[in-house]
Amino acid sequence: MNSITLTAPPRLRGIVHVPGDKSISHRAIIFNAVATGSAHITNFLPGADCLSTIACVQALGVEVRREGTEVFVNGVGLRPDADGAGLREPADVLDCGNSGTTLRLLAGLLAGQPLFAVLTGDASLRSRPQRRIVAPLRALGAKLDGRDDGDRVPLSVRGATLKGGAYELPVASAQVKSALLLAALSGEGSLFLTGKIASRDHSERMLQAMGLDLHVRPDQITLHPPDHPMLPYPLSLRVPGDPSSAAFWWVAAAIHPDADLTTAGVCLNPSRTGALDVLRAMGAEIEIKNERIEGSEPVGDVTVRSSQLHGITIGGAIIPRLIDEIPVLAVAAACASGDTLVRDAQELRAKETDRIATVAAGLAAMGVTVEPTADGMGIVGLGRPALRGAAHPSYGDHRLAMAWAIAGLVATGATTIGDPGCADVSYPGFWEALHGLARSGA
Ligand code: S3P
């Protein structure tokens, strides 16, 4: 199907079990691939990005078996030995598809492994900046190369003996942070990360749970490479629901005039809950129940009801905690009263699309006054959910396609979204869930 057309339903009601978290699903495969022993992962996200990770890891000689949302990984260990342990040199180019996380985490892991590999991806991934991982990995001794002096994939990795060292992160990026931690795992010295280390911390939590000597302080992360041959231990886990997927329903419920939606079993890791904080600050009615710990992560059920939203400024330290949710938060801002300013979010320009440009264009098409800036945008709220239905291309950007679908739930007339299948990158079943919720309220 090349497009989907929707109109606003009178009511939105229901409970949604959003799929497993994308970041944790990637990490569960990659980390367990080099563990000593087998891991069993449940509620894995079978989205296109995480399937790219599985295919790449299989091409590195790791046995990974998936049955729906259940995955079994037979770790090969961190270091090769005479008995055939360790990752195998891939026979062909590793295709990371649309997934920056697959590419950057694997580049880090492979940098210290005795093999040669080439990583590439789709047109969107081939246009995204990679110097952010290539420069610090080279500083550790990695031999990486690629187009534009290593800033663009295809990237080649000639595994090398890595040293440890100190690195000050210039961007708050969990992908960069995780690439360095993975490189340091097979390196010869300790790694000290400072600077912008405050980003999603799933790698830190999971590597600690796998027995690694990793310490987190507010100003520094330290990793000492394991000296015991059994490390890292395998980590079996249930992946919690993805808050970045749940955020679509949180915004839908907040802006729709007659809504009551619950997202059950969502990861509430504080490094991921910026969208909840922003919606609350905009006046959204939010209730969190059944808070619990699952594995290494806090989890809970989040209910959001129809709310009168007002505009706010979104910037500073909260940005890394909601970077993926900005497209849908922009839809909330468009329906709020007053102005919203998004700033300090220049990272949006390096996502699957330039999300400052694509979000601003989409909102403008729905009748919203929006001013893109170098590091964000100003949005003049309509004061009520009075968006005008429009035809939106998705440019293959999953979060953009889903954000326009949420806008369509409160728009006048029809909203058409091109290439709706791209939602499968992070949220297989999104369109079915949307139709189910809209129908249950009818
Ligand atoms: C991710 C980190 C974020 C996020 C991406 C997933 C991760 O990217 O946008 O969707 O799993 O580490 P950056 O690290 O580039 O900010």
Side-chain angles (χ1 to χ4, degrees):
M1 204 191 318
N2 286 334
S3 69
I4 250 181
T5 297
L6 41 104
T7 52
R11 246 167 270 111
L12 278 177
R13 290 276 185 284
I15 300 177
V16 199
H17 295 269
V18 293
D21 186 75
K22 181 158 81 70
S23 295
I24 298 174
S25 294
H26 282 298
R27 287 161 172 77
I29 301 297
I30 295 173
F31 297 177
N32 277 311
V34 289
T36 42
S38 304
H40 178 202
I41 302 149
T42 56
N43 203 38
F44 174 80
L45 170 66
D49 270 12
C50 299
L51 298 184
S52 294
T53 289
I54 290 187
C56 289
V57 160
Q58 285 171 329
L60 290 161
V62 182
E63 194 194 321
V64 183
R65 190 162 53 82
R66 182 177 71 87
E67 291 165 17
T69 58
E70 227 176 309
V71 184
F72 301 85
V73 183
N74 245 336
V76 293
L78 197 52
R79 294 172 212 284
D81 67 18
D83 299 328
L87 296 173
R88 195 180 66 200
E89 185 165 83
D92 204 345
V93 171
L94 298 173
D95 185 359
C96 305
N98 192 243
S99 176
T101 310
T102 308
L103 174 84
R104 293 176 176 146
L105 269 58
L106 283 180
L109 176 64
L110 297 180
Q113 294 286 322
L115 48 78
F116 174 77
V118 177
L119 298 146
T120 193
D122 69 6
S124 154
L125 193 53
R126 290 198 304 274
S127 73
R128 295 175 66 183
Q130 306 305 338
R131 194 162 289 134
R132 54 183 55 208
I133 53 161
V134 169
L137 288 171
R138 280 178 178 164
L140 296 181
K143 295 194 179 122
L144 302 186
D145 214 340
R147 290 185 297 134
D148 194 8
D149 189 24
D151 197 32
R152 297 281 187 273
V153 297
L155 278 188
S156 66
V157 186
R158 164 75 60 195
T161 304
L162 304 183
K163 49 188 191 300
Y167 186 72
E168 187 178 335
L169 287 170
V171 278
S173 162
Q175 292 176 352
V176 177
K177 179 172 64 176
S178 303
L180 289 167
L181 291 173
L182 281 166
L185 272 189
S186 36
E188 288 190 338
S190 301
L191 176 72
F192 305 91
L193 293 178
T194 56
K196 297 193 174 172
I197 57 173
S199 55
R200 64 193 69 196
D201 64 356
H202 309 299
S203 293
E204 295 90 308
R205 288 171 187 249
M206 292 170 77
L207 292 173
Q208 278 174 338
M210 295 175 88
L212 292 160
D213 195 355
L214 185 150
H215 302 274
V216 181
R217 288 196 331 229
D219 59 339
Q220 180 170 293
I221 300 172
T222 310
L223 175 71
H224 305 291
D227 48 15
H228 194 285
M230 293 303 281
L231 286 169
Y233 299 125
L235 179 68
S236 291
L237 71 151
R238 177 183 164 80
V239 180
D242 194 329
S244 298
S245 298
F248 293 105
W249 308 123
W250 300 339
V251 170
I255 62 176
H256 193 283
D258 188 357
D260 187 330
L261 295 180
T262 297
T263 53
V266 178
C267 178
L268 295 176
N269 177 321
S271 67
R272 298 291 301 282
T273 50
L276 279 177
D277 294 350
V278 157
L279 286 170
R280 231 184 246 114
M282 292 176 81
E285 199 189 313
I286 298 172
E287 196 182 343
I288 300 182
K289 284 194 184 148
N290 294 329
E291 284 188 75
R292 56 206 185 264
I293 299 288
E294 278 184 11
S296 314
E297 300 282 348
V299 171
D301 303 340
V302 181
T303 300
V304 183
R305 301 189 181 88
S306 308
S307 309
Q308 296 291 326
L309 300 182
H310 54 83
I312 60 165
T313 294
I314 308 171
I318 201 167
I319 293 294
R321 300 177 52 228
L322 49 65
I323 190 76
D324 290 342
E325 290 69 77
I326 290 178
V328 77
L329 289 174
V331 173
C335 300
S337 59
D339 297 351
T340 290
L341 177 65
V342 179
R343 56 174 166 76
D344 308 316
Q346 56 278 5
E347 274 298 297
L348 289 174
R349 296 210 181 266
K351 296 296 176 187
E352 285 81 335
T353 56
D354 172 345
R355 287 184 178 156
I356 292 179
T358 51
V359 169
L363 286 182
M366 300 190 93
V368 181
T369 302
V370 45
E371 193 186 327
T373 63
D375 67 348
M377 66 193 85
I379 299 166
V380 180
L382 296 166
R384 60 204 167 88
L387 297 165
R388 201 169 60 210
H392 294 285
S394 324
Y395 307 108
D397 184 337
H398 53 131
R399 300 205 197 280
L400 215 54
M402 291 187 277
W404 301 139
I406 299 308
L409 294 176
V410 295
T412 54
T415 300
T416 300
I417 295 124
D419 186 16
C422 69
D424 282 2
V425 159
S426 61
Y427 197 155
F430 172 79
W431 300 105
E432 292 78 1
L434 181 104
H435 290 305
L437 293 174
R439 250 196 324 269
S440 67

